[in-house]
Each structure stands twice: as C-alpha cells, then as structure tokens.
Amino acid sequence: MKTLIIILMSSVLVNNYVLSRFLGICPFLGVSKKLDQATGMGISVTAVMLLATAFTWPIQYFVLDKLGLGYLQTIIFILVIAALVQMLELFLKKVSPSLHKGLGVYLPLITTNCAVLGVAINNITDGYNFIEAMVSSLGCGLGFLLAMVLFSGMRSRIDESKVPAPFKGIAITLIAASFISLAFMGFSGIVDNLFA
Amino acid sequence: MKSSIKSIIVLVGICTVMTVLLALVNSITAPIIQENQNAAANAALLEVMPEGKNFEQVDISAYELPATVTQAHKEEGGGFVIQLTTTGYGSDFVIICGVRADGTISGAKCLSSTETLGKEKTYGENFTDKNAEQVAAVETISGATKTTQAYKNAVNDAINAAIILAGGSVDIRTEEEILADNLAAALPAGEGKFTKLFIVEVIEGIDAVYTADNGKGSVCVVGETFVGIDETGKALTDDTALAAKLEAQMQIITASEQTPVDLTAYEGIHKNIVSVSKTATGNYVLEVKGAGYGITGGDEYHPASGEYIFIRVSMTPQGKIIDTLTVSQKETDNIGSVCADEKFYGQFDGKTQADYDSVEGISGATLTTKGYKQAILRCFEAVAILEGGVANEE
Amino acid sequence: MKNNSNLGILLKGIIKENPVLVLILGTCPTLATTTNVVGAFGMGIAALTVLVCSNMLISLLRKIIPETVRIPCYIVIIAGFVTIVEMIVHAYFPALYDMLGVYLALITVNCIILGRAEMFAGKNSVGKSALDGLGMGIGFTLALVAMSTVREVLGNASFAGIPIPFMEPFKIEIMTKAPGGMLVYGLLIALVFVITRGKAPLKKSFSCAGCPSAGHCTASGACNTEVKEEQAQ
C-alpha cells in the first residue's frame, strides 16, 4: 500500500509528466487556454492512459516477452493506443452523446500525445507490476490534469495583459510554464520524506 | 466494402513488412546489445581478472561451496571470479577475487567495507599471482589482524570454490568442523557432543582428551590420531600397544582426585589466586584471576568492563604447566576476547616460569596479554610458595 | 511552399519553417533532451534519420495507401523506423541510448514526423520528400543544438561535456532542469522573432495541439475537430 501511495504521489507531484518530464507538452500548451478545455483534455488523457496501460501491460508480459518480440514494443503500443482511442470515441458516441460532446473532440489528439505512449513504455521500463502500473498511469493522468488546470488559470491572466511583441503567443506561454515548473520543483523530495 | 478490404490488406501488408524489417535489424543488433550489456556488467569482474573473456554466471546453489561465496562467474579460459561476503572487525565486507585455471590469484579487491582501518583496500594486491600455498604465507597486517585474516580466509575460500566449481573436491570444513568430525568418528557413542577435558596429571603421549557430554566415554588425541575410550576404559583401536598405553594413561587421569589447599596457611600468595587444590600425585590446580584491558599493573580489573579474566592452571610441583584454560572473560569483543581461544591459552602448556613470557601475545590487545601473563606468573609464584620452604607454618 | 525548387525545399526547413523555433513542433524532445549538447545532437540526428526514411517510404507508397487508413499506416511506418534507429543506437552508441532513454522511442509521436508525412510526403515525389525530411531534420537538429548549447554552458559550465572553467563561478543550475528548458525555449522563440522580424510565419495560436497540419488539415486531417471547435467558440 505504501509503495502504491508513493508511486501515485510522485507521479502526480514530483515527476509530473508535463512539468518535469516534458511529456505531453503540445496539448499542455495548445489546449490550456480555457479552464473547461483544460479539464476536458486532462480527463480524456487520464482515461486513455489508464485504458492504454490496462492493455499494453498484459500485451508486453504475456505476448511480447513470451515470444521474444520486445523490439515490436513501440509499434504495437502505438497501434494499440490508436485503436483504443478510436474505440473509445465510438463507444462514447453511442453510449453517452453528451459526454462525447464534452470529451470527444480531444480524443483524436491523444493518439499522438507522447504522454500516453510515454506512460505505457515507462511502466514497463520501471518494472512495475500490473497494479503499480495502473496506479502510476492514474497518477500521471492526474498530474497532467493538475498541470493543465493550473496553467489554464495562468493563461487567462496572460491573455489579458500587454505582452511585448516578440514574446506574444508561444514565447510568453513557455516562460509562464517555466514558472509553474519551478513551483513544482519544490515537491521533489517531499514524497520520500512524507512516507518514509 | 471493396475499398475497406483493400485498406485492411494494405495496412496488414505494411505491418508485415515493417515487422520483417525490424526482425532483420534486431537479429543484427541484438547480439551487439547483449555484448555491450555483458561488458558493462563484467567491468567489475575484469578488474580482478583483466585477461578474462566471456564471463558467465555460475549457479552456485548446485555446488557445495564455502559459506562465504555469494556469486561466481566462469571465464572462457577456465578461471573463476568469485564474490564472497565475510566478516572482518565486526561487520560484513564483500570481496571479489579472480582465480585462474592454474589456481593462482589474478586479483582480489574489496568491493564494500565499513571496516575501520582501511588497510583492506589495498591488501588484496598482496595476493596477485599467488597460489594457495603462497596465499597462506601472506602476512596479516598488525593492527588489522582480524580484518586481514578474514580477507585471507576469503581468498582461500575463493581458491577452494574455484577448485570445486571446476569439478575437483576440497576439504572446505573449518578447523572446528574437522575436529568435531574426527571426534564423532572416534567415538560414535558420544553423539557428536564433546568437551575438552582439563588435564591435571602428567600424561605422556596424549595431546588432548575430550569427554563425551553424555558420559559414554572419551576420545584421546595423539598427534593426528583420534582414539575413542569407552565407558569401561577400553581403547577402541586395533593397535594393541597404543591401546594399552592409552588405557593406562586414562587410568591416571580418571583416578585423579583433588583436595583443596588452605591458602590462609601460607603467606605471600598473591590475592589474585582464588583457590588451589592438590592432586594425589602432588600436582596443583590453581584458579587465578587476571586483569584485562586498561590496567597497566595487570593485577587489577578494568573499571570499564568490571570483570577479571578467570584462568585455571594445572602445574607440576616443579612449576611446569600441564594445562591452561580461560574459564571466563569479558574483554573487548574480537580483540581481547581472543584470550578465550584455545589457540592462545594452549600456548602456555608445558611452559615454566623461565619461558612462559615467550608466548605470543594477542595482536591489538597488549594489555589483555599482559594481564593474562601476570596471572600465570602469580601461579608460578604460588606453587613455589606451596612447595618451597617459604611456607608459613604456625 | 512558394519555392518548389529542390534547394528551396531543403532550406525552408532549416530557416523559414524551422520546425522547432518557428512551427513550434516536437516540443517534448526539444525540452527534454537539450540538457547537454551531445544528447541534443544525438536526438536531432536520430529524428533526422527517421524523418528522411519515413518521408521516402510514405512518398513511395502514397499511391497505394488508401485515404481511410492513411494515419495508421503512417504511424506503423514511423514507429518501425523509430524502433530501427533505437536498436542501432542501442547497439552502437550505448551511452547515447542511456542518455535519451524513453525519448528515443517517443520520436514515434513527435509531431514533426507525422506532420511532414501528412503535409508533404503524402503528396510529393520521393526525391522531394527526402529533401524535405533532410531539411526539417537539419533544422530540428540545429535548433536542438542551439538550445542545448545555451542550457549546458549556462547551467553546467561545459560544452559537449568539455568543462569551461571561467564559467564555473557563474553556473545557473536551474538551466539544466525543467524550468530552465522552458525559459530558454521561450526566450529563443522571441529572439528568432526579433531576428526574422515577422518574415517567418509566427504561430500565435496552438490550435490543433501545435500539429503541423493545422493549416492544411482543417478540411481533411485527423485533428480538424479541434480547430472547428475553436472556431465555433
């Protein structure tokens, strides 16, 4: 139980995928303009991460490792993720059109979100068991959501302020992101000490 | 419909082609990657065996190796790199040792150690290119005897392990185990539990006597020979001459009776002599206490440990020591406590006041040695008083 | 793509449409692997190789691949080349492999590569696609090296692992950490804007998650939904 809490907390706060590992930067910069967009993207990413891990972990251990096909990891994982995203979209469209309306628009973007593939691969390289891998995926998704929501608040302030011409757009956004990342650095070490 | 079938065929086709391509590249790179990883893992092994090639881990659970061996790698040329964990001055340390196919050491290195002295760091260099015999001759470092001795033993274990791993056989028993095995073989009735007998009579031709804890007899040690003596005093050997001799000697030992000596009747006997008794044959058995670590005089106990070393000595009336035994002590662990080791106190056997001081002291425990020797001296003095005219008769 | 001459195709990736500093693509590896020059250069070359190979193969197959399964086909091809590059780096440059870690595999989802496939290789001849991939790859590598130079010199007082002694007292360690990456990236983008003075098409919006196809794929591409959504709002 303790390890699970440590994995969860460290993937949410310390090793935040966006702010310290630079995974999923594109949607972080692209879809964080408004709070509702940021939340929608964050929830979608979390769901896909969990789903992706639930499929890729068994595939790695029961198919690829058994057959000695470890070198197919990247190809299989990205195909599985792409297929999952497609299916999730169709499923949502059928079952809950309202949810699809809210989240569906973000789903096609997630296929090429490196955070999802990153989670799937990292769970294998870190040697997590299935439960730990699921917890780690949940943590990474929540960390992504947290970063998105926090950053959307910052973005709305930036949009209202006067920015020097060269910094308009991406430049000032990146510098703002750098400050959030700086704040998250304060978490490093906290998890180990909290639960040690 | 037709277009979707075509789509599927194309997708599957591309997947197949890419997979084949990957398999192809993988078959080229996989051995190289494997080799790289081995090289990285073998960096430590190469340090103790620079000429080694293609190390392969050996499953050591399949062999009966010295208990210190934790890991072993076989090398192409028939050599082995053995990793051992041993205990030095109170803590574990890990040694990695390369043994060539010809039994010489290619290198020894201490991987991790919390040992205090730090001398073990370079001590391993002394073993390079030496064989088992030469290893035994490598001197321990004074001031780090315990640690360096453990190091030496580990290197020796590595040599033995390499022989066993190569298919040979070696006696890997410790001295205690060998003794126990010999005793059990000489007197099976003793059920493997023996205690060394404290000898108070002058006996000839017997180095030591062990009695069975269950009272079913004893074992005489004559040089390398172990002869069992059963409850009735009969020697269990085919050599009738030896049997007769041993039976006669054992008679003397078992028949021996002791009467306490009233020390108050004598003057000048040192206060550290606790008690003295005399056997029918006139030998003395003295209980004496010596001071351990901390007191320069050697007669007072050390305030910190609060304990004396209690020693039992048997002596002829002429002042020659028959047997010595450390009954109890509370000296510093692993240093002064060596005085409870038979290897130390056994040295006093056969000594007289003239030559007892030549006994080799305990390394790193000069004061314990001094106190011990002082106590032995008190015994010589006491026997002289008990025997000589200095006795004070009222 | 006003200039369709071969040289123009090659050069536009390096300067005018630099994928990192102008098109703002492939931000993840740009930030993650630029802590030192060696890693950044390795990453750049790895991406360049994948880019050229996948561009050529996709261009070669552009008439065979059906429109509907276009994206999955591209992904498989790209992932395949990424894995090949990964295996080669692992075998022949183990130190670089350890340095880049998971980011090597993540070239698969680097938007530059899928973007060029979608935008250029799917529509142009093999030769042009190869040139386009080469130009984009060089542009990507140069941007990564520039950024890593700033970060390594300021943050670690060294260049490509060689220490610069007089910088030692002025080390700003945060430069090699995550916040420093974002800060340097932001400042470099601003600098490029100042230098080009609007000549480069500055991207102000991140619609379509910075996907290269943003301008082109509104009608056909995979991520049009997002753009439509934004337009609707």
Side-chain angles (χ1 to χ4, degrees), chain A residues 54-96:
Chain A
F55 279 83
T56 53
W57 195 93
I59 287 176
Q60 173 76 28
Y61 281 93
F62 297 119
V63 182
L64 296 183
D65 282 359
K66 285 269 156 66
L67 301 176
L69 295 174
Y71 55 88
L72 287 182
Q73 191 194 51
T74 313
I75 269 196
I76 301 275
F77 278 21
I78 189 76
L79 278 179
V80 166
I81 292 168
L84 279 175
V85 169
Q86 283 289 319
M87 282 193 280
L88 188 66
E89 202 191 350
L90 290 176
F91 178 76
L92 278 184
K93 213 174 201 168
K94 269 256 157 68
V95 175
S96 164

Side-chain angles (χ1 to χ4, degrees), chain B residues 55-290:
Chain B
F55 289 101
E56 232 174 77
Q57 183 139 17
V58 183
D59 177 20
I60 56 167
S61 60
Y63 299 88
E64 202 166 305
L65 298 174
T68 46
V69 176
T70 52
Q71 249 185 52
H73 285 84
K74 191 180 176 22
E75 181 262 334
E76 205 177 48
F80 289 92
V81 174
I82 316 263
Q83 191 171 318
L84 312 102
T85 303
T86 180
T87 309
Y89 178 66
S91 63
D92 283 356
F93 68 108
V94 178
I95 291 166
I96 186 163
C97 182
V99 186
R100 297 194 190 97
D102 64 359
T104 55
I105 302 290
S106 59
K109 198 174 170 262
C110 183
L111 289 186
S112 75
S113 163
T114 49
E115 298 292 303
T116 42
L117 292 153
K119 286 182 180 158
E120 67 279 357
K121 292 267 184 273
T122 52
Y123 188 63
E125 291 164 14
N126 295 322
F127 298 109
T128 309
D129 293 332
K130 295 201 163 123
N131 62 21
E133 233 167 85
Q134 291 162 323
V135 164
V138 170
E139 275 179 34
T140 55
I141 298 175
S142 108
T145 322
K146 185 91 181 164
T147 303
T148 44
Q149 184 62 47
Y151 206 132
K152 242 175 94 169
N153 292 345
V155 171
N156 201 45
D157 283 350
I159 294 176
N160 288 339
I163 297 172
I164 296 166
L165 289 170
S169 67
V170 178
D171 195 347
I172 57 163
R173 294 175 299 172
T174 60
E175 274 178 54
E176 287 84 19
E177 285 166 347
I178 294 171
L179 177 65
D181 287 352
N182 283 334
L183 291 174
L187 189 75
E191 288 168 349
K193 287 206 169 67
F194 294 88
T195 311
K196 191 165 190 259
L197 185 70
F198 187 76
I199 296 172
V200 296
E201 301 293 342
V202 181
I203 42 172
E204 276 169 24
I206 298 179
D207 294 323
V209 178
Y210 292 84
T211 51
D213 289 357
N214 58 8
K216 301 264 174 161
S218 47
V219 177
C220 294
V221 185
V222 183
E224 298 280 294
T225 322
F226 287 73
V227 181
I229 310 286
D230 68 11
E231 293 164 88
T232 58
K234 195 179 167 302
L236 306 169
T237 173
D238 299 333
D239 185 341
T240 43
L242 180 66
K245 198 170 121 195
L246 291 180
E247 280 163 19
Q249 297 286 342
M250 285 304 287
Q251 206 76 48
I252 302 172
I253 294 171
T254 45
S256 173
E257 267 181 40
Q258 298 173 20
T259 41
V261 178
D262 180 16
L263 291 179
T264 55
Y266 301 89
E267 205 173 82
I269 291 183
H270 196 272
K271 63 180 166 64
N272 279 5
I273 301 284
V274 181
S275 68
V276 180
S277 53
K278 200 171 180 179
T279 67
T281 51
N283 294 329
Y284 293 96
V285 181
L286 306 99
E287 301 278 346
V288 63
K289 54 189 183 182

Side-chain angles (χ1 to χ4, degrees), chain C residues 22-115:
Chain C
V22 180
L23 298 181
I24 321 296
L25 298 176
T27 43
C28 307
T30 306
L31 290 166
T33 62
T34 51
T35 48
N36 65 69
V37 177
V38 178
F41 186 71
M43 184 67 190
I45 297 299
L48 184 145
T49 315
V50 175
L51 198 48
V52 172
C53 294
S54 65
N55 255 12
M56 283 169 73
L57 188 62
I58 287 167
S59 169
L60 198 67
L61 297 176
R62 70 183 188 278
K63 300 234 165 68
I64 304 169
I65 297 173
E67 186 73 8
T68 40
V69 288
R70 192 176 77 251
I71 299 290
C73 287
Y74 293 170
I75 289 178
V76 170
I77 291 171
I78 293 167
F81 281 119
V82 167
T83 313
I84 290 173
V85 167
E86 200 185 344
M87 289 192 286
I88 290 172
V89 171
H90 197 172
Y92 298 102
F93 309 98
L96 187 65
Y97 182 84
D98 288 341
M99 206 186 287
L100 296 178
V102 73
Y103 296 101
L104 211 46
L106 291 181
I107 296 177
T108 312
V109 281
N110 187 326
C111 358
I112 298 175
I113 296 168
L114 190 61

